[in-house]
């Protein structure tokens, strides 16, 4: 039993698996309700229902002529729904957050949402081809499949997504509530401004609100892809730095022997000195033996004799205790 526990502890931990976050029931209900509302608006316009009649009534009312004093202000306010200026402003703020928090998630979330916005809203715009109020040809007509590109409202959907990202990335519940209120107010004002100016039908704005909200509600499903993209970018950055600095991983050559001073080795304060590699054995009388002996300050070895020590060097005598010779009988110990 104990062996099994240590075996489990010795295993290398597996890398964490990135799984799609579970959507709460509240979010799923909101997503389903918004999708149903989206499809209902499209169907109501396709069959030229009462919603199309309401579009024409608002258009013929001409709000920009009823309140002309609001026109200069709303001309600038509608810029908050244009993709270029709003994306730059929000990207600057999220870029600063990414730098402070050492993560790319805020910028990647913004990029993912804008990509989804371009694909979904752009495809529906080109597929339905509705004409705007200024280009309408027949009163009471839905003006569908006529080569237009205003259904749904891109300004409204962009305002919902761009400013809603700030609430989505908020780190505290209080900040999320405040930013949600701000994004809802801005997107609502941008949508109504396009109706006031006459560039969109009222149904275009309703569908733009639904399209932007669907993208925000679906973002949690793309979080695993965002996390993998961030990890890949960081890995590529490290590889680029290694190539730029010219560093290469050094192969492990194993532990290298360390030569200690002889005094430390003999005093017992360190490991024994590493012996020098043995020189090849040269037979006596070989001419190389004389050269090697002179290099070491001695004389060539003579056959049948003890090696001669260099001059001035005293040969250490072996320290042995005197005792009975091997093989001789021990003398009995006598008292006195």
């Amino acid at each position: 039993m104990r062996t099994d526990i240590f075996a489990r502890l010795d295993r290398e931990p597996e890398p964490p698996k990135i799984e799609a976050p579970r959507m709460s029931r509240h979010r799923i209900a909101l997503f389903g309700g918004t999708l149903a509302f989206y499809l209902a608006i499209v169907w109501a316009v396709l069959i030229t229902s009462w919603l199309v009649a309401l579009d024409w009534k608002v258009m013929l009312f001409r709000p920009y002529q009823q309140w002309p004093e609001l026109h200069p202000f709303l001309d600038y306010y509608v810029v908050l729904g244009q993709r270029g200026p709003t994306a730059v402003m929000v990207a600057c703020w999220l870029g600063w957050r990414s730098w402070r928090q050492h993560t790319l998630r805020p910028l990647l979330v913004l990029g993912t949402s804008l990509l989804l916005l371009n694909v979904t809203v752009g495809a529906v715009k080109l597929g339905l081809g509705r004409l705007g109020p200024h280009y309408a040809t027949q009163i009471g007509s839905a003006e569908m499949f006529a080569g237009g590109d205003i259904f749904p409202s891109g300004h409204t959907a962009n305002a919902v997504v761009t400013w809603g990202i700030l609430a989505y990335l908020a780190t505290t519940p209080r900040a999320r509530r405040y930013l949600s209120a701000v994004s809802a107010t801005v997107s609502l004002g941008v949508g109504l401004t396009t109706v006031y100016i006459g560039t969109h039908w009222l149904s275009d704005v309703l569908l733009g609100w639904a399209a932007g909200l669907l993208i925000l509600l679906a973002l949690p499903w793309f979080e695993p892809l965002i996390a993998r993209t961030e990890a890949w970018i960081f890995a590529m950055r490290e590889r680029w730095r290694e190539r730029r600095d010219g560093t290469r991983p050094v192969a492990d050559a194993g532990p290298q022997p360390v030569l200690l001073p002889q005094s430390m080795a003999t005093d017992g304060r360190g490991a024994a000195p590493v012996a020098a590699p043995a020189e090849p054995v040269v037979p006596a009388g070989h001419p190389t033996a004389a050269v090697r002996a002179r290099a070491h300050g001695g004389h060539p070895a003579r056959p049948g004799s003890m090696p001669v020590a260099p001059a001035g060097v005293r040969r250490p005598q072996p320290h042995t205790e005197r005792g009975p010779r091997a093989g001789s009988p021990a003398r009995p110990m006598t008292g006195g």
Side-chain angles (χ1 to χ4, degrees):
M1 181 67 181
R2 193 172 182 181
T3 307
D4 296 341
I5 295 177
F6 284 112
R8 293 178 183 177
L9 293 176
D10 292 339
R11 292 177 184 174
E12 294 183 358
E14 298 180 356
K17 297 181 180 180
I18 302 176
E19 300 179 354
R22 296 182 178 180
M23 301 276 281
S24 63
R25 294 182 178 179
H26 179 67
R27 183 177 287 269
I28 292 176
L30 280 177
F31 185 85
T34 306
L35 181 60
F37 180 76
Y38 184 96
L39 298 176
I41 295 296
V42 175
W43 178 253
V45 174
L46 287 175
I47 64 174
T48 317
S49 65
W50 60 270
L51 186 57
V52 176
L54 180 61
D55 288 339
W56 276 99
K57 288 182 180 180
V58 174
M59 181 265 188
L60 295 175
F61 180 71
R62 303 187 189 281
Y64 58 90
Q65 293 181 354
Q66 303 298 327
W67 302 284
E69 63 276 4
L70 298 177
H71 205 287
F73 169 74
L74 295 179
D75 278 343
Y76 290 100
Y77 183 81
V78 78
V79 177
L80 295 177
Q82 290 184 359
R83 194 162 309 166
T86 56
V88 171
M89 289 187 293
V90 175
C92 291
W93 167 254
L94 296 181
W96 181 79
R97 281 189 55 182
S98 297
W99 178 74
R100 287 288 303 271
Q101 299 175 0
H102 303 283
T103 177
L104 294 177
R105 180 174 173 265
L107 290 177
L108 292 176
V109 169
L110 176 63
T112 303
S113 62
L114 293 180
L115 181 61
L116 292 174
L117 180 66
N118 291 334
V119 171
T120 57
V121 175
V124 176
K125 277 176 174 286
L126 297 178
L128 298 179
R130 190 181 190 186
L131 293 176
H134 294 312
Y135 302 97
T137 57
Q138 184 179 358
I139 296 178
S141 172
E143 303 293 338
M144 300 289 286
F145 308 108
D149 57 351
I150 55 99
F151 184 67
S153 171
H155 276 69
T156 306
N158 182 73
V160 173
V161 171
T162 306
W163 301 107
I165 286 295
L166 300 179
Y168 179 82
L169 294 174
T171 55
T172 61
R174 183 178 181 181
R176 186 175 296 111
R177 286 194 298 267
Y178 287 159
L179 292 174
S180 298
V182 170
S183 62
T185 303
V186 172
S187 58
L188 180 65
V190 169
L192 294 179
T193 300
T194 60
V195 175
Y196 168 87
I197 297 174
T199 57
H200 280 288
W201 306 97
L202 181 61
S203 57
D204 298 343
V205 175
L206 295 177
L207 196 65
W209 283 333
L213 187 57
L214 283 176
I215 293 174
L216 289 179
L217 292 174
L219 274 179
W221 283 319
F222 294 88
E223 287 290 348
L225 177 61
I226 293 172
R228 285 193 292 266
T229 305
E230 181 184 18
W232 178 80
I233 292 175
F234 281 138
M236 294 299 295
R237 184 188 66 175
E238 294 301 326
R239 293 179 183 176
W240 178 80
R241 285 181 176 178
E242 290 179 359
R243 293 179 181 178
R244 183 193 61 182
D245 299 338
T247 57
R248 294 290 185 273
V250 181
D252 188 8
Q256 300 295 331
V258 179
L259 297 178
L260 299 178
Q262 187 175 2
S263 59
M264 295 181 61
T266 54
D267 293 344
R269 289 177 292 175
V274 179
E279 297 181 354
V281 180
V282 180
H286 196 275
T288 312
V291 176
R292 183 179 299 171
R294 286 194 296 269
H296 290 284
H299 300 280
R302 291 175 294 180
S305 63
M306 296 297 293
V308 180
V313 178
R314 187 175 183 182
R315 184 183 303 276
Q317 299 295 331
H319 179 72
T320 57
E321 292 184 358
R322 295 187 177 182
R325 295 181 181 180
S328 61
R331 297 179 180 178
M333 299 295 293
T334 57

